[in-house]
Every structure is written in structure tokens, then in C-alpha cells.
Amino acid sequence: VVLLEASGRCGGWIRSTRREDGAVFEHGPRGIRPAGAAGKRTLNLLDELGLESEILAVPHHHVASKNRFLYVKGELHQMPTGPGYVQSPQSFLSPSTPSVPEHLDSPPNDRVQLLGVVRTIPPFSRPIMLSVLKEVLVSKSTQEDESVHAFVSRRLGSELADIAIDALCRGVFAGDSRKLSVRSCLPPLYKAEKARGSVLLGMVLGYEKPPPVVRSALVQRAQKERWAQWNLRRGLQALPEAVEETLRGRERVEVHKSAPVRRLDHTAAGWEVKLEDGGTVKADHVISALPAPALASVLPPAAQPLSEQLRGIPTSTVGMVNLEFGGSVLPVAGFGHLVPSSEDRGLLGVVYDSCPFPEHNRSGEPTTRLTVMMGGSWFEEVFGQPESVTEQELLDRASEALRTHLGITDAPLWSKAAVLKNCIPQYHVGHWKRLETMRRYISDLGLPLTLAGASYHGVSVSDVISSGREAAEGLVGKV
């Protein structure tokens, strides 16, 4: 097995800054959900890597799990729990498939929350429960796919779609709910309607048999302690670092960093992988975890039909600003807040990093860590070309948001701004059909090629880990 990594480090968009004073800042994903088959597989991987003692777990009863906010019409509004708020405790660029109540993972008391809330809570004009109860009466769609916004508007009403779901898609995918595919981005909702004719009934009664997953001691611990999300003491970058260290200790495994691929040539004997430095690696089979457009750029001309499909998967760019303030500066406690596109197209949301993971604060005097996310599908419209945006522009925009939204006027003790260009694939309506076309092309031509990574079946860390595992199992069987 030969692993080729284009950059000088493994981990992709997972990147953690570790300061000497103990502070840790995440510049990509910042928390991972343990629920679902993919979440359990990731916990099993942690168990195999010996990282159990490094885990920082946030349980469901923690304030960061219970309190999430929307910024609408110039005010913060706490989001109640319920199916009208299909929310994820690790939204905001932790690329994660949004959470829905999981029939087989949730204890009975959690399922009761499916009834939603019974009173009107701003910024909404009527009780969420009314939308939930009416959802059962909505006819099942015969469409093969539709946008997330259209799906939620049809089943739960336009107000929830315009505010909550719009903000959710910006927080999770940095994308536009009016373009994103419900079938590919929120498969539990799509499958629930297809199986039960109703999202609510599908969530309560179940809509499919979950795939079998080994329940390691760590998975059992997470379920017993009711984890909502987790991180690691040295930041999430410790996960790919541990994977790399383990791989380097294995026989017949080579890891090459700073080894970008220039071209893939398919021969009768397999693949010739031409590297930018002039080297060549011969392979019987290639598992590509490259972003779809990057893979398209290195495929041979004969694979033009596949390259065209790969180039058709768009991405979004995110401006990210990490900030550290002295003392406790937040007016509320929680995970963070999201901003609907109708409120501010350029600002996606703010994560209150110190609330879920105070262990990542520096030692000594109290501090508050925050992360501001901007742009997404609206990046160029608001900021212009990514290459021309300066750190100061992002910092000024972030400071303005913190002042307006949270009343924070202090100057930060520390800050770091960056543009994450093309960081999150966008699964637009019809994405599933594109994947099927690519699968059929690879199969019909007998290409020894497997597609893995965030461009295809899920953008969360756990989704990507699962896709890699499934790619390997497709070659060597269950591992």
C-alpha cells in the first residue's frame, strides 16, 4: 500500500494550532458526533489507535449541546429541540451530516422531543408543533430529488425553511438550501418520507435497518454517557497524526508526503501514477481521496466523460477567523449561533469554542475562544475572489459581527484569519444521479479505481473515514 499526500502534512482540512500556553484552536472541523453508523466507526478507529484517554466528550445535557442560537432581525434567539430544528451540535464547518433524531440511538425521553414545542418562540410566528403535526398529513412526493429548502417548505412550511433550515445548511455545508439536495445532504429525511410517507413517522417508527457496527468499549461508553460530540486534548489534528504514525509502523505500507500527483495513466497492467517531481508509482488499483475537481485534472484524456462529471461537483469557500479574548465576554452560553442568508449573506455563524471545550483555553487567566465563519456559497458575491481577500478584511468583518451580534467590543488577545478555498463539496439537486453515472462508467470500463472522500457520500469527518474504510473493504473484504 502506497499513500501519496500532496501537502507536507496529513489530515486535509483538519488543522489545529497548539500554543505553548496550552491553547488549542481548530481551523477546520471542531467537534465530531458519535451517533450513527459512521460516528460509531470513528469511535472504533479511536479505540484501535489508542486515543481513548485523549477524548474530550460533551454530553447531551451540557449547555453547549442544549443551547444553540439563531441571529434573526438583529437579535439572538435560542433554538428549541425538535424535528423542525434538524440541528447538529457540531455545525459550522465541522463538516458533518446534520443530526436527526436517531430511532435506534435515542433513549425514549429524547424521542418525546419529536413532538416539538407547544408555544410560539421567536423568531417564528407560530408554535413549531403545528408544523410538526401537519407534516403527517402532507402527501409523499414522487420526485427523485428536490432541494432541501423545497422539501422542508413542502412538509413543514416556508417559515422553517427560510430561517432554520436555511441557517442550518449554511452552518453545516456553507451552502444554499435552495440548491442543496435533500436526498444527498439530508438522507434520513428523504428516506423517512419514502418509507413512511412522513418525516415524523419515519423518525419515530424507523425507516431502515441500520448497518451492523462493532460496539467497541468506546462506543458503549459514548452511548452510556450520552455524548453529543467530542474532540481531542491536542485538537482534532491528533487523529490524522495517530493514523499516520500507525501506518508508518506497518509492513508493506509506504507514506509519502509532499508528493502531489501530476497525471494518472491507465495501462494494461494497472495505473502509472506520475508525480510532480518526475517520479512514477505503479499501482494495481487506485483509491482516490482527492477532491472531485482535483481528480478530474489528473485523469487521462480517455476518461473525459468521468472528468466532466467530477468537475460538475461544485465547492464552497469559507473565510474563517479564530479569536481569543481575555476574560468571559459572551452574553450567553451555548455552542454558537447561525445566521440565515436573509439576515446577512456573508456571515454564516459564530462558534463559542470555549463553551464546549474549555480544556482548549490557555492555562492561567480566563479567556474566551470564538470562531467566525463567513462566505460559503456567497463568498465571491460578498468578498470577491478568494485570492484577493486579506486577513485584515476578514478580521474586520468578524470583529463587526461580534460587536453587533454579541456586544463584544474588546480587542482580541490573539487572532488568526484564513480563506479555506473550495473546502466543502456542494451536493446540489441531482447529485445522486451524477454519482450513479460515475459508478456505472467506472464499472463498465473495468477501471481499477475507487472514489472516496468528501466529494461523494458525506462531508463530515466520520463520513469521510467511513468512505475510506468502505473503499478498502471493497478491495480486501471486511477489515
Side-chain angles (χ1 to χ4, degrees):
V1 176
V2 179
L3 173 63
L4 300 175
E5 165 59 48
S7 72
R9 51 177 290 278
C10 294
W13 293 112
I14 297 178
R15 183 183 291 269
S16 309
T17 289
R18 303 158 180 150
R19 290 201 325 226
E20 292 184 1
D21 60 8
V24 176
F25 296 86
E26 298 289 7
H27 308 299
R30 59 204 53 251
I32 299 177
R33 291 183 61 238
K40 293 181 178 67
R41 292 190 187 105
T42 299
L43 289 178
N44 287 339
L45 175 62
L46 291 182
D47 199 36
E48 294 172 20
L49 295 172
L51 292 174
E52 310 96 306
S53 62
E54 297 297 309
I55 293 174
L56 303 175
V58 181
H60 278 285
H61 61 75
H62 192 282
V63 66
S65 303
K66 295 189 296 183
N67 293 357
R68 292 179 287 280
F69 301 88
L70 288 170
Y71 184 78
V72 180
K73 295 181 179 178
E75 295 182 356
L76 284 181
H77 302 279
Q78 186 171 342
M79 299 172 68
T81 303
Y85 287 86
V86 182
Q87 55 186 307
S88 164
Q90 54 163 17
S91 302
F92 319 94
L93 193 67
S94 76
S96 162
T97 299
S99 158
V100 294
E102 299 188 18
H103 177 64
L104 298 176
D105 282 326
S106 303
N109 286 343
D110 280 354
R111 294 184 202 141
V112 173
Q113 291 181 345
L114 285 169
L115 295 177
V117 293
V118 296
R119 59 190 178 91
T120 300
I121 298 178
F124 301 102
S125 61
R126 64 176 184 172
I128 302 301
M129 183 181 239
L130 292 180
S131 298
V132 174
L133 295 180
K134 288 182 177 181
E135 189 274 337
V136 179
L137 305 177
V138 177
S139 299
K140 180 169 66 173
S141 173
T142 59
Q143 297 182 77
E144 291 183 316
D145 197 4
E146 63 185 309
S147 74
V148 173
H149 187 275
F151 180 93
V152 175
S153 294
R154 179 171 56 79
R155 300 213 62 88
L156 290 163
S158 60
E159 189 174 58
L160 280 172
D162 290 344
I163 300 175
I165 296 302
D166 176 280
L168 172 75
C169 288
R170 283 157 60 83
V172 176
F173 300 99
D176 187 344
S177 64
R178 292 159 183 80
K179 296 179 180 179
L180 293 173
S181 157
V182 70
R183 179 168 180 165
S184 298
C185 294
L186 294 172
L189 301 192
Y190 175 83
K191 292 177 181 178
E193 184 191 41
K194 293 302 181 187
R196 300 289 183 177
S198 160
V199 174
L200 177 61
L201 293 180
M203 294 298 102
V204 173
L205 302 176
Y207 51 85
E208 68 178 6
K209 185 176 180 180
V213 179
V214 175
R215 295 181 71 248
S216 65
L218 192 54
V219 169
Q220 295 179 51
R221 175 187 160 196
Q223 291 177 326
K224 180 180 179 180
E225 298 176 4
R226 302 202 58 225
W227 295 0
Q229 61 171 321
W230 56 266
N231 200 305
L232 298 171
R233 293 191 182 280
R234 301 182 65 246
L236 287 180
Q237 190 173 319
L239 176 54
E241 288 173 346
V243 171
E244 179 186 354
E245 181 180 358
T246 298
L247 289 177
R248 290 187 180 279
R250 298 283 174 87
E251 294 183 9
R252 301 175 65 187
V253 174
E254 299 177 22
V255 178
H256 300 274
K257 293 189 288 191
S258 300
V261 173
R262 179 169 55 87
R263 191 175 75 247
L264 288 172
D265 289 334
H266 186 222
T267 69
W271 292 100
E272 288 188 357
V273 183
K274 303 296 178 63
L275 304 181
E276 289 285 2
D277 65 5
T280 298
V281 176
K282 295 185 177 182
D284 299 319
H285 194 102
V286 167
I287 296 176
S288 172
L290 291 172
L295 175 59
S297 70
V298 299
L299 284 174
Q304 182 63 21
L306 177 58
S307 296
E308 289 179 0
Q309 292 295 326
L310 291 166
R311 289 192 185 96
I313 300 175
T315 58
S316 67
T317 293
V318 174
M320 176 175 289
V321 180
N322 300 88
L323 304 110
E324 178 187 39
F325 295 90
S328 179
V329 298
L330 284 169
V332 294
F335 185 79
H337 70 262
L338 289 170
V339 184
S341 60
S342 58
E343 185 75 22
D344 186 334
R345 295 171 76 81
L347 191 77
L348 304 177
V350 181
V351 183
Y352 313 159
D353 297 300
S354 288
C355 192
F357 301 111
E359 299 90 345
H360 285 167
N361 289 347
R362 69 177 182 178
S363 56
E365 294 296 316
T367 56
T368 301
R369 291 172 300 107
L370 304 171
T371 304
V372 181
M373 258 72 67
M374 295 168 280
S377 293
W378 300 264
F379 191 95
E380 292 187 9
E381 172 192 330
V382 176
F383 297 99
Q385 292 300 313
E387 296 81 6
S388 65
V389 178
T390 66
E391 287 193 28
Q392 191 59 49
E393 286 180 84
L394 294 178
L395 181 58
D396 289 345
R397 186 68 175 83
S399 299
E400 177 191 351
L402 295 182
R403 178 183 57 79
T404 305
H405 296 194
L406 299 169
I408 299 175
T409 58
D410 295 356
L413 302 176
W414 182 92
S415 64
K416 182 177 178 62
V419 174
L420 281 58
K421 187 178 179 182
N422 301 326
C423 62
I424 304 182
Q426 301 293 289
Y427 301 167
H428 286 174
V429 174
H431 180 76
W432 71 275
K433 191 171 292 186
R434 182 184 301 278
L435 298 186
E436 179 58 25
T437 299
M438 293 192 293
R439 184 202 63 78
R440 190 165 55 247
Y441 178 88
I442 292 171
S443 176
D444 289 349
L445 269 66
L447 287 177
L449 172 67
T450 302
L451 306 181
S455 293
Y456 311 107
H457 296 288
V459 301
S460 77
V461 172
S462 290
D463 287 332
V464 171
I465 290 172
S466 284
S467 83
R469 186 181 188 93
E470 289 166 7
E473 289 178 343
L475 294 178
V476 302
K478 291 291 182 180
V479 294

